[in-house]
Amino acid sequence: MSSTVETTTAIHPFHIDVPEEALDDLRRRIASTNWPEKETVADQSQGVPLAMIQKLARHWATDYDWRTVEAELNALPQFVTEIDGLDIHFIHVRSPHEDALPLIVNHGWPGSIIEQLKIIHRLTDPTAHGASAEDAFHVVIPSMPGYGFSGKPTGTGWGPERMGRAWAELMQRLGYSEYVAQGGDWGAFVVDQMGLQAPEGLLAIHTNMPATVPADVDEASVAGEPAPSGLSAEERRAYEQLIRTYGQVEYARMMAARPQTLYGIADSPVGLAAWLLDHNDADGQPAATVASALERTESDTGELTRDEVLDNITLYWLTNTGVSASRLYWEYKGGFFNAKGVSIPVAMTVFPGEQYQAPRSWAERAYPNLMYFNEVDKGGHFAAWEEPELFAAELRAAFTSLRTTNGGRQ
């Protein structure tokens, strides 16, 4: 454990009880939004379309019920503990199967712990979802510093590296002598750092936004240059996807350069919602999966719905974390998709809607101890949110080999 992590080890139960006055204020602010004129184009190239955000705002102000997700969260074991001087909020659900494999799951931006709610039961109680008791996990889901109900850093330094050390401390504090870690989006950066730090007890990581791009390819793609020679067809496809992705990250550049300037997303619910919606995935900006979810009121198969999107946005609003969450982009100074040098065992799932589809050739070079690699046929950047059944199945498959080689679990 790094000597930089100084802790008081107490773990306290956590309960959410948002005052009704805060919800009344939210609805009042939505209703009093000062709307701009309609965009001057017929597509989404100028940003979130006026009709899209106004339709969402009408539902948010009149029919949406925060209490539903609040009750769902409060039905789960939630806790807070201080790590390195900061309160860390987390969900911790132990499986009924005592030999379950401990797993810490990392969310990203513009997400939160709400992204992972649909996978918890699927992972902790696999027998209820067509899998076996041997597939079970004990699940820990922390809120990143500056996000959700975790504390907001008052000084600099809370980047993925420090979070990786904090999560290792958290798992140790919970009594898990062996565990695995999973992450997508910023969570993928955190688990890569955990892989580099290789704390005692970390058996392997799983990523659904892998960092596999070779140095020469990364340099060229960031600069927007033509693809280097000698790429295979699969590698060239990935290169073209990287070029597209780097052309859709204006929001990231703003947060990386001037996060404190984003006062509007702390003052206006609609401003916050538009900012969080204008994220990209492989199929568009705003992210096509999220945009399509705004038209889906329910789903029997776990697909993302309108109210689930609003659950996440409302969590940002009620915790006033729009700006504090944005500072993570300012904190991080490394590359986004470049190989980091992780040598511990790594599992990887490539989703077709991710910002780029990592070729196996790059994956094997970036992660020399690649123990699992699979390309699935649906799902994307918000994989746990979009395809919870498939995502859970991938985690079961990804870590199967560890269960057969590492005895019983704590």
Side-chain angles (χ1 to χ4, degrees):
M1 202 55 231
S2 169
S3 60
T4 64
V5 177
E6 299 177 359
T7 66
T8 57
T9 60
I11 296 174
H12 305 284
F14 184 86
H15 182 84
I16 304 166
D17 186 14
V18 172
E20 192 62 33
E21 293 81 2
L23 300 176
D24 290 340
D25 178 65
L26 167 61
R27 289 186 282 265
R28 179 187 61 78
R29 287 171 179 265
I30 297 169
S32 62
T33 298
N34 186 25
W35 295 102
E37 64 284 349
K38 182 180 184 294
E39 62 276 6
T40 58
V41 293
D43 55 27
Q44 299 179 4
S45 60
Q46 291 185 352
V48 178
L50 182 65
M52 176 189 291
I53 194 69
Q54 284 187 326
K55 182 178 179 180
L56 183 65
R58 284 193 295 271
H59 174 71
W60 198 10
T62 58
D63 298 320
Y64 169 76
D65 184 10
W66 162 260
R67 298 300 184 194
T68 301
V69 72
E70 182 179 87
E72 183 179 359
L73 286 165
N74 282 334
L76 297 167
Q78 297 179 86
F79 304 92
V80 66
T81 190
E82 182 184 323
I83 300 178
D84 205 4
L86 196 71
D87 282 345
I88 299 298
H89 165 263
F90 62 98
I91 296 169
H92 180 203
V93 183
R94 285 186 62 87
S95 171
H97 307 289
E98 284 304 311
D99 285 341
L101 178 62
L103 165 70
I104 185 166
V105 184
N106 300 253
H107 69 79
W109 184 97
S112 66
I113 56 170
I114 285 173
E115 279 186 72
Q116 280 83 35
L117 290 181
K118 291 184 287 190
I119 65 171
I120 293 173
H121 192 255
R122 289 174 166 90
L123 295 175
T124 58
D125 192 7
T127 57
H129 296 275
S132 68
E134 290 72 28
D135 293 316
F137 294 90
H138 301 307
V139 175
V140 179
I141 306 173
S143 297
M144 293 195 300
Y147 288 68
F149 298 106
S150 280
K152 300 173 185 178
T154 57
T156 61
W158 272 104
E161 302 87 348
R162 193 169 179 181
M163 290 184 201
R165 294 192 294 270
W167 295 172
E169 167 64 24
L170 176 60
M171 295 303 277
Q172 182 182 64
R173 192 172 298 184
L174 292 174
Y176 293 129
S177 60
E178 292 183 335
Y179 62 95
V180 294
Q182 196 287 324
D185 195 85
W186 277 110
F189 290 69
V190 175
V191 297
D192 263 353
Q193 291 301 320
M194 294 179 76
L196 290 171
Q197 294 160 7
E200 184 179 358
L202 178 62
L203 301 175
I205 64 173
H206 175 277
T207 177
N208 58 286
M209 197 184 79
T212 69
V213 184
D216 59 331
V217 179
D218 183 62
E219 183 178 356
S221 62
V222 171
E225 297 174 353
S229 60
L231 299 183
S232 68
E234 188 181 37
E235 292 167 347
R236 180 171 287 276
R237 179 194 65 184
Y239 187 85
E240 292 169 354
Q241 291 169 335
L242 289 167
I243 293 294
R244 178 209 60 220
T245 291
Y246 287 134
Q248 297 179 328
V249 290
E250 299 86 354
Y251 60 90
R253 293 190 180 100
M254 181 64 186
M255 290 186 286
R258 311 286 289 177
Q260 193 63 31
T261 296
L262 298 173
Y263 293 98
I265 66 175
D267 185 61
S268 165
V270 167
L272 174 67
W275 186 255
L276 298 181
L277 288 175
D278 207 23
H279 188 281
N280 62 312
D281 62 12
D283 299 310
Q285 184 181 9
T289 300
V290 174
S292 64
L294 301 184
E295 302 299 324
R296 186 179 300 113
T297 58
E298 59 184 18
S299 172
D300 294 330
T301 58
E303 290 178 293
L304 192 57
T305 66
R306 176 181 59 186
D307 278 4
E308 288 171 344
V309 173
L310 281 176
D311 290 340
N312 183 63
I313 296 171
T314 307
L315 176 61
Y316 272 79
W317 175 260
L318 294 173
T319 55
N320 192 19
T321 47
V323 172
S324 60
S326 301
R327 293 195 186 103
L328 180 54
Y329 286 81
W330 184 92
E331 287 286 352
Y332 182 69
K333 307 304 181 185
F336 279 78
F337 303 115
N338 61 307
K340 305 297 193 297
V342 176
S343 59
I344 72 167
V346 174
M348 180 188 309
T349 302
V350 177
F351 289 87
E354 188 48 86
Q355 298 192 348
Y356 86 108
Q357 290 175 273
R360 183 163 196 145
S361 57
W362 289 357
E364 290 174 344
R365 291 168 59 186
Y367 300 108
N369 205 344
L370 188 68
M371 66 178 189
Y372 179 86
F373 178 93
N374 191 33
E375 296 176 293
V376 294
D377 59 3
K378 59 182 178 178
H381 187 71
F382 306 95
W385 221 13
E386 300 170 31
E387 297 290 342
E389 194 65 50
L390 176 59
F391 188 85
E394 279 299 296
L395 291 193
R396 295 184 201 118
F399 295 120
T400 294
S401 63
L402 296 182
R403 299 178 190 272
T404 60
T405 58
N406 284 277
R409 300 295 164 198
Q410 189 168 347

